[in-house]
Amino acid sequence: MTIAKWINFSSIDDSRGSLIAIEANKTIPFEIKRIYYLYGNKDNVTRGMHAHKNLTQVIISISGSCKISLDNGHTKENVLLKNPDRGILVENFIWREMSDFSANCVLLVLASELYDESDYIRDYNLFKKFVEHD
Ligand code: TYD
């Protein structure tokens, strides 16, 4: 089973350039309650390093590129985020780590819930305990 679930967006291209529109419950499979973006990432940093109990996200590199590692506790998959016309769906109980950011990388994140620190699992061993019976 593949962990990385891509969502491809249609881009509207004309002589001026390209436009992508993302609509909640249509282009992506949830109501978007929160949007955030990561940029200005320093060399050799790793971000993420957590999973969520009840949060679905779509992560899109709208500029530049980075690596994302997705881990369901049994299998790990590394993928490159580099295209503004596709995003990766990251569901709950997936440990994610982002690294290898290009200097111009801007990661746009669409989230199904508001920010809630109590929804985070930031300890990998605890994460393994949550998923060990899956
Ligand atoms: P953090 O979870 O460490 O970011 P990442 O997983 O991308 O490495 O978040 C950094 C800080 O920002 C942390 O103090 C929590 C805060 N934060 C918010 O206040 N709201 C949010 O929506 C997010 C994603 C983070």
Side-chain angles (χ1 to χ4, degrees):
M1 194 195 70
T2 171
I3 310 175
K5 296 178 183 165
W6 290 101
I7 299 180
N8 293 311
F9 309 125
S10 304
S11 80
I12 302 165
D13 305 314
D14 62 27
S15 58
R16 300 166 297 174
S18 299
L19 181 155
I20 288 176
I22 295 175
E23 295 183 309
N25 293 319
K26 285 174 80 178
T27 326
I28 59 155
F30 53 80
E31 196 69 59
I32 301 164
K33 290 203 184 147
R34 177 167 53 109
I35 296 173
Y36 62 93
Y37 39 97
L38 306 174
Y39 61 99
N41 299 289
K42 305 284 186 277
D43 282 348
N44 302 317
V45 296
T46 300
R47 300 204 63 144
M49 305 177 76
H50 64 257
H52 286 277
K53 297 175 208 158
N54 177 37
L55 179 74
T56 304
Q57 297 180 312
V58 172
I59 306 177
I60 309 153
S61 182
I62 56 170
S63 169
S65 64
C66 75
K67 195 173 93 180
I68 181 164
S69 143
L70 302 173
D71 176 352
N72 64 8
H74 308 286
T75 315
K76 202 188 266 194
E77 217 169 289
N78 289 323
V79 294
L80 195 62
L81 288 174
K82 63 176 171 129
N83 302 106
D85 64 353
R86 66 193 318 218
I88 198 145
L89 182 72
V90 183
E91 292 170 317
N92 49 3
F93 295 110
I94 299 287
W95 186 268
R96 85 287 313 271
E97 296 184 6
M98 290 86 82
S99 61
D100 297 55
F101 293 94
S102 67
N104 61 342
C105 182
V106 181
L107 272 194
L108 178 69
V109 185
L110 313 175
S112 66
E113 304 297 331
L114 300 179
Y115 175 70
D116 174 8
E117 185 57 38
S118 71
D119 188 65
Y120 281 69
I121 307 164
R122 292 192 185 272
D123 177 323
Y124 188 75
N125 291 327
L126 183 60
F127 164 69
K128 290 284 277 185
K129 288 209 171 77
F130 269 109
V131 295
E132 69 187 359
H133 299 301
D134 284 0

